[in-house]
Amino acid sequence: MRSLFRLLSPTRIAAKPPSVQRDSVGLVLADGRRIDVLRVRDPRARRIKLSVDERGARLTLPLRASLVAGDRFLHAHRDWLARQLAVHASEPRHNLARDATAALPLRGADVPLRWADGRATRVEVDAGGGLVFAAPARAGDAALRRALRDFYEAQGRTDVGRWLPGYLPELPRAPRRIVFKRTTSLWGSLAPDGTLALDLALVLARPAAFEYVLVHELCHLLHADHSPRFWAAVEARFPGWREERRYFHAEGRALKARLRQLLAG
Amino acid sequence: MFFRNLTLFRFPTTLDLADLESHLAECALKPVGPLELSSRGFVPPMGQHGDALSHAIAPSTWITVGGEDKLLPGAVVNDLLQKKLAAIEDKEGRKPGGRTRKRLKDELVMELLPRAFVRPVRTDALLDGGLGVIAVDTSSRKSAEAVVSEVRRALGSFPALPLNAEVAPRAILTGWVAGDALPDGLSLGDECELRDPADTGAVVKVQRMELSGEEIAKHLEAGKQVTRLALVLDDHVSFVVGEDLVVRKFKLLDGAVDQLESSDREDVAAELDARFALMAGEFKRLFAVLEQAFKLSKAE
């Protein structure tokens, strides 16, 4: 219910900006299979887009595109969609399952995982460099996922804590704070208030790639754009950045998908 | 003057704080002007009992950011603005446009500001050059960052970073309640907050309760994790530390304060000096424990 004060107030209230709307649309493929496609109307979208990942198919519509145009686009790309779904269906799933998951991705490698009983839920690195997932018998999937997320964030902070001081002296200021988030497409961002956000999936990537993203974002403290001056600053601090960018182009989607599967609710 | 909360930042121990007093003097608090909303600057930490803008007991330094805020409630401005707009509408037979509204609002603010109450504020901070830590006496990250910004403005460069724990604080706090060995000198207090890991999961807050009891164990077995925990260090300091690594309810206990009260001092400045020395010492011991337990990254 809107507050009484707002209803009585003669002050004009600005119109609410359009928000992202989601629904589902059915589609019959050429082989007779019926699938559900997630239809998303996104005010930021500039064109109709059909994409597929391990979660299924997604049709993105700009604010003013008609539903009919969306359906037409979907049907026109039906065969492509079937091929992509087949590719993703053949890829292995990496869900987190107690006593079944035998390895976890970390810093570009799969690290062996051992499950153990414990009074509290947590993931630790053991003396041999492997991982131990301790959890009480009653701990649910949400508790396991949260513990894994905390572990990955701690590992990310370990890496950042090791690299960051080396880059600070040449920067005009330090980041205001550093947060780890799960992002869809970005790997990092620097907000105007100095908050440096990093994608949690970076912990799964090889360390050099993670360090490149950190350097990239730190250089935005010098130049808040992607101008030649910005890239020169990146080059001076991290000469191998092109190689790491290629790595993200090749492996980025898989890294994000793997983290999504491990932490999916 | 004992701090109640500690929001911590790290800075390189190589930072030169020798000229701190002169730098602070350049950014001393100026009274808020008649047409200003607020002002910030450094004030003497000892208030009326000392003129220096910093009080050092090496390697710790006590500084204070003071401020004056004008109190101008938005509801008051909006009410007067509506009356003015209604008068214009009656007179001209049309609703004033957005530009007029904005101009009228600016005029009203300018008219009301000189008559507004001024509220003084102060936030204390402890700079430990040896540890490379600044502890701000607030639990609000925003206020703490405002103090760090003031120090940065005064020094020109102050690369202070928020604390960075290389282990998950939740895991450590949960482990301590679950029975893991606590660091030397640390013991469990009687307060904690447990959260269900699901995004909108249950939150359990307990106070004045035995944390090693059966009820808490049941919550842990169900997968809840500790997000805030009361601890006691050597019967000298009690505090609550959260997963955000902010220390709340920081309190020196009788074991520490007894040392203070046993000595004789005549003036208030000497009393404040002794209290600061005591607190700085206890803070140093507390930080050493936290640094090791949470594997806090250094800033160099």
Side-chain angles (χ1 to χ4, degrees), chain B:
Chain B
M1 56 78 42
F2 291 135
F3 289 15
R4 288 284 293 153
N5 301 289
L6 305 170
T7 300
L8 307 167
F9 297 82
R10 296 213 81 163
F11 61 84
T13 49
T14 49
L15 193 75
D16 184 15
L17 296 173
D19 293 333
L20 183 67
E21 182 69 29
S22 60
H23 288 301
L24 298 185
E26 289 167 19
C27 297
L29 175 68
K30 294 184 178 74
V32 62
L35 295 179
E36 284 178 326
L37 271 170
S38 65
S39 69
R40 287 288 180 278
F42 292 93
V43 295
M46 292 209 179
Q48 57 187 346
H49 307 289
D51 295 330
L53 294 174
S54 66
H55 180 72
I57 299 177
S60 302
T61 308
W62 176 17
I63 58 170
T64 303
V65 172
E68 292 184 348
D69 290 338
K70 287 270 180 73
L71 294 178
L72 192 55
V76 173
V77 178
N78 280 339
D79 186 45
L80 287 174
L81 178 64
Q82 292 309 326
K83 283 176 184 160
K84 277 202 170 190
L85 290 171
I88 291 174
E89 198 175 340
D90 282 349
K91 190 177 167 189
E92 299 181 2
R94 63 172 184 88
K95 279 193 173 181
R99 197 173 293 172
T100 311
R101 290 166 62 90
K102 191 173 179 308
R103 182 177 53 79
L104 285 173
K105 191 170 182 179
D106 289 346
E107 284 173 7
L108 267 175
V109 170
M110 289 299 141
E111 186 186 321
L112 293 173
L113 267 180
R115 289 190 279 149
F117 284 113
V118 175
R119 179 176 59 186
V121 291
R122 68 172 274 165
T123 314
D124 295 282
L126 184 159
L127 280 156
D128 191 313
L131 295 172
V133 178
I134 176 169
V136 186
D137 182 15
T138 175
S139 60
S140 152
R141 189 157 292 282
K142 195 177 164 192
S143 302
E145 280 166 358
V147 170
V148 169
S149 293
E150 281 301 314
V151 178
R152 188 175 295 126
R153 186 166 72 95
L155 295 181
S157 167
F158 185 57
L161 288 167
L163 287 191
N164 187 58
E166 296 180 5
V167 289
R170 269 188 194 219
I172 297 296
L173 298 177
T174 308
W176 287 346
V177 176
D180 284 359
L182 283 127
D184 279 347
L186 218 53
S187 56
L188 292 180
D190 60 357
E191 179 180 338
C192 82
E193 180 184 279
L194 299 120
R195 275 179 192 268
D196 192 288
D199 285 341
T200 52
V203 180
V204 178
K205 294 179 182 179
V206 296
Q207 286 183 319
R208 296 190 288 275
M209 188 172 186
E210 179 62 45
L211 298 184
S212 51
E214 188 69 16
E215 284 176 68
I216 299 292
K218 291 272 184 217
H219 285 303
L220 295 180
E221 280 171 25
K224 287 197 184 66
Q225 292 178 315
V226 179
T227 50
R228 274 190 197 185
L229 178 62
L231 293 159
V232 179
L233 178 64
D234 285 335
D235 289 331
H236 279 210
V237 183
S238 68
F239 59 98
V240 173
V241 64
E243 63 173 338
D244 54 1
L245 297 176
V246 173
V247 175
R248 297 173 175 87
K249 300 186 182 179
F250 177 81
K251 189 180 176 191
L252 296 186
L253 302 176
D254 290 346
V257 180
D258 281 350
Q259 305 166 25
L260 192 69
E261 286 170 354
S262 62
S263 54
D264 242 4
R265 275 171 302 279
E266 287 176 358
D267 63 289
V268 179
E271 174 75 21
L272 289 172
D273 175 70
R275 281 174 175 248
F276 177 67
L278 178 68
M279 195 189 67
E282 295 297 340
F283 169 73
K284 197 184 286 288
R285 291 199 313 124
L286 170 63
F287 187 79
V289 171
L290 296 180
E291 184 180 34
Q292 200 174 9
F294 294 104
K295 294 187 181 168
L296 302 178
S297 306
K298 292 189 187 304
E300 57 237 305

